[in-house]
């Protein structure tokens, strides 16, 4: 069983940056891929990015390429999501999830077995 805990969310002005962290406990991330999803009020959960255990396979929602960067530090059992030039439409609860995929990633939430509780990101205009 893998427990995931997200942190780093908060309130930021448009154009600002945040770095989210997803820490694993209970057992390590090995050999799981980890993804970030987000869900805005009244909308369906949306794939943001995913990274394989090795870090060699990475996928992003096309519209976020260039602003968001996913990375991982397996020694620290932590995956990061660096979010730059944030926009009000990025406001959502961000979730991390772990699953057995190796990439390329389809973005389907069904591919992930473990989920965190989420962290709120609010971007003001």
């Amino acid at each position: 069983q893998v427990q995931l805990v997200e942190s780093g969310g908060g309130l930021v002005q448009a154009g600002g940056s945040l770095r989210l962290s997803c820490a694993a406990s209970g057992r390590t991330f090995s050999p799981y891929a980890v993804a970030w999803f987000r869900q805005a009020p009244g909308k369906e959960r949306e794939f943001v990015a995913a990274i394989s255990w090795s870090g060699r396979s990475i996928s992003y929602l096309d519209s976020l390429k260039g602003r968001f960067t996913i990375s991982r530090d397996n020694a620290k059992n932590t995956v990061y999501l660096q979010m730059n030039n944030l926009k009000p439409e990025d406001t959502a609860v961000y979730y991390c999830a772990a699953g057995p995929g190796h990439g390329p990633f389809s973005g389907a939430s069904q591919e992930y077995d473990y989920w965190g509780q989420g962290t709120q990101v609010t971007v003001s205009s």
Side-chain angles (χ1 to χ4, degrees):
Q1 187 77 6
V2 178
Q3 289 84 43
L4 304 178
V5 179
E6 303 95 339
S7 61
L11 174 64
V12 64
Q13 289 188 332
S17 298
L18 284 174
R19 188 177 79 158
L20 305 183
S21 298
C22 173
S25 63
R27 56 172 291 181
T28 70
F29 272 132
S30 175
Y32 292 109
V34 176
W36 288 95
F37 289 79
R38 67 184 182 182
Q39 188 166 18
K43 295 187 177 181
E44 294 187 353
R45 190 169 295 186
E46 175 181 55
F47 172 79
V48 171
I51 185 168
S52 63
W53 161 250
S54 67
R56 288 193 290 267
S57 182
I58 291 176
S59 299
Y60 293 99
L61 181 66
D62 284 346
S63 61
L64 299 178
K65 289 179 180 177
R67 293 198 298 123
F68 287 20
T69 303
I70 190 170
S71 62
R72 67 189 299 161
D73 184 339
N74 289 335
K76 295 183 178 180
N77 282 326
T78 302
V79 172
Y80 303 99
L81 184 69
Q82 178 67 42
M83 307 186 295
N84 297 328
N85 190 23
L86 283 161
K87 303 176 181 181
E89 52 264 42
D90 295 318
T91 294
V93 178
Y94 284 71
Y95 301 88
C96 66
H102 298 283
F105 302 101
S106 70
S109 60
Q110 297 92 325
E111 296 179 353
Y112 300 91
D113 300 321
Y114 304 103
W115 291 80
Q117 293 300 306
T119 185
Q120 175 71 46
V121 171
T122 303
V123 184
S124 64
S125 58

